[in-house]
Amino acid sequence: MKLLRLVAALGLSLGMAAGALAQQYPTKPITMIVPFAAGGPTDTVARSLGQAMSKSLGQSIVVENVGGAGGTVGAARARNAQADGYTIFLHHIGMSTAPTLYRKLSFNPQTDFEYVGLVVDVPMTLIARSDFPANNFAEFLKFARDNKAKMNLANAGIGSASHLCGLLFMSSIETDFTTVPFSGTAPAMNALLGKQVDFMCDQTTNTTGQIAANSVKAFGVTSRSRVATLPNLPTLQEQGLKGFEVGVWHGLYAPKNTPRPVIERLTAALQAGAKDPEFTKRMADLGATVYPAAQMTPAALQSHLKAEIERWAPIIKRAGAYAD
Ligand code: ASP
């Protein structure tokens, strides 16, 4: 009986402590871990989202870039952070492909995090160095197949969106290239601009400006229909790659056991951010689609992640791509 009372009292005081914490939360800046290098597409979404969310949270959100191993180094760091609401984690489709791609993964995307909500969906583009000797997709394919032994395909490591897109591309054109991993597609883009690598897939959040400036050559977009901001760029499906579709969805997470009231506060700030005109304009200008507020919820992110893990597992297994 005594023990029961003690447990009840403890539960009550913990509940009250969580309630009080949430009422005051946040009292200091929040760190948002991004599992890729600064200046890349995930970083761009994070910085813009952080600014928007900080308006309703009343505290700044500081982005910390923890690149490496296709996003898995940053995910592991986020998983081990204190679950007090002062570390949150933005990741993309890689959360759903890593469990199949990696034989050993130091975290479980489905059980090691709290879900805050879905954020944006971003198409990818197939781009090459500006002096690549092809001016359309048919010429690109011919040159790539004829020179495959010399061609370098950049990516942000195994488990990144650029890796996934490259895998699908190689399997759909039945040609293999040498892949070169970077800690994010910001450094990969620098290598492409410097003509040290030949081509890559990357999100429109990183490529729109480069395509407009003709600093790179673009050969196709990975969405089902064309992107409003790149109307002259055909989809890869239109150009014969049947069923080729990659949408890089992003989700916001927190370490497991972050108090529920804190998660609710973060979800509310995310939903408020989605209505922020600066954020929505920036995302639209970069070809990204902001999820409707109804999907910026823990439940929507949880079920989307589960569905995506199930969707990609057989595709990755068929491509035979694994890492240790
Ligand atoms: N675009 C990268 C990827 O391939 C990630 C990044 O650098 O933000 O996943």
Side-chain angles (χ1 to χ4, degrees):
M1 198 54 198
K2 242 187 193 167
L3 184 70
L4 265 183
R5 245 180 281 148
L6 187 70
V7 171
L10 196 69
L12 200 68
S13 63
L14 280 179
M16 278 163 58
L21 177 85
Q23 257 177 26
Q24 293 156 12
Y25 172 84
T27 56
K28 59 178 185 184
I30 298 166
T31 297
M32 186 189 286
I33 294 183
V34 168
F36 297 103
T42 316
D43 183 68
T44 296
V45 172
R47 284 173 200 272
S48 189
L49 177 67
Q51 268 178 11
M53 285 178 67
S54 69
K55 289 181 193 165
S56 67
L57 288 169
Q59 287 288 340
S60 53
I61 295 186
V62 182
V63 170
E64 186 186 348
N65 300 91
V66 186
T72 58
V73 176
R77 167 84 73 91
R79 169 231 149 107
N80 293 332
Q82 278 214 336
D84 58 2
Y86 292 99
T87 302
I88 55 177
F89 174 49
L90 182 78
H91 198 0
H92 61 31
I93 191 170
M95 277 292 256
S96 60
T97 56
T100 312
L101 281 167
Y102 282 84
R103 286 199 182 87
K104 287 180 237 136
L105 200 60
S106 66
F107 62 93
N108 183 326
Q110 288 181 284
T111 56
D112 286 350
F113 298 90
E114 301 294 339
Y115 302 96
V116 177
L118 283 160
V119 183
V120 287
D121 193 80
V122 189
M124 300 193 93
T125 48
L126 180 70
I127 56 170
R129 57 184 159 84
S130 59
D131 59 350
F132 195 89
N135 287 318
N136 55 48
F137 186 60
E139 284 175 20
F140 174 89
L141 274 187
K142 176 156 180 13
F143 184 88
R145 285 191 170 120
D146 290 349
N147 295 277
K148 63 180 177 194
K150 288 186 274 170
M151 293 266 293
N152 288 320
L153 167 60
N155 66 33
I158 295 175
S160 62
S162 45
H163 170 252
L164 176 70
C165 179
L167 265 187
L168 291 181
F169 184 65
M170 290 192 283
S171 88
S172 59
I173 67 164
E174 294 173 353
T175 308
D176 280 338
F177 305 102
T178 303
T179 54
V180 185
F182 293 83
S183 62
T185 44
M189 178 66 88
N190 285 340
L192 194 72
L193 295 173
K195 306 184 177 82
Q196 290 128 18
V197 291
D198 296 302
F199 73 114
M200 72 170 170
C201 283
D202 199 15
Q203 284 101 297
T204 53
T205 30
N206 203 32
T207 63
T208 303
Q210 305 290 4
I211 294 170
N214 287 323
S215 324
V216 296
K217 281 188 179 176
F219 293 101
V221 63
T222 65
S223 41
R224 192 175 305 167
S225 37
R226 292 192 186 199
V227 179
T229 43
L230 295 166
N232 300 324
L233 188 61
T235 67
L236 289 174
Q237 292 202 28
E238 260 177 78
Q239 303 184 90
L241 297 194
K242 269 216 154 109
F244 196 105
E245 192 179 344
V246 187
V248 185
W249 60 271
H250 294 59
L252 191 63
Y253 307 81
K256 189 76 191 170
N257 296 325
T258 300
R260 185 69 12 216
V262 168
I263 297 293
E264 282 165 10
R265 186 95 168 77
L266 288 166
T267 297
L270 172 62
Q271 293 176 344
K275 293 192 200 106
D276 182 273
E278 242 176 275
F279 176 67
T280 48
K281 180 172 185 320
R282 177 112 173 96
M283 291 300 105
D285 287 349
L286 295 175
T289 306
V290 177
Y291 275 96
Q295 284 182 273
M296 290 185 155
T297 64
L301 175 55
Q302 182 172 17
S303 67
H304 191 68
L305 176 65
K306 182 172 181 294
E308 284 284 284
I309 289 174
E310 287 161 6
R311 178 162 90 97
W312 287 108
I315 300 171
I316 293 164
K317 285 180 187 153
R318 229 177 295 131
Y322 295 102
D324 285 322

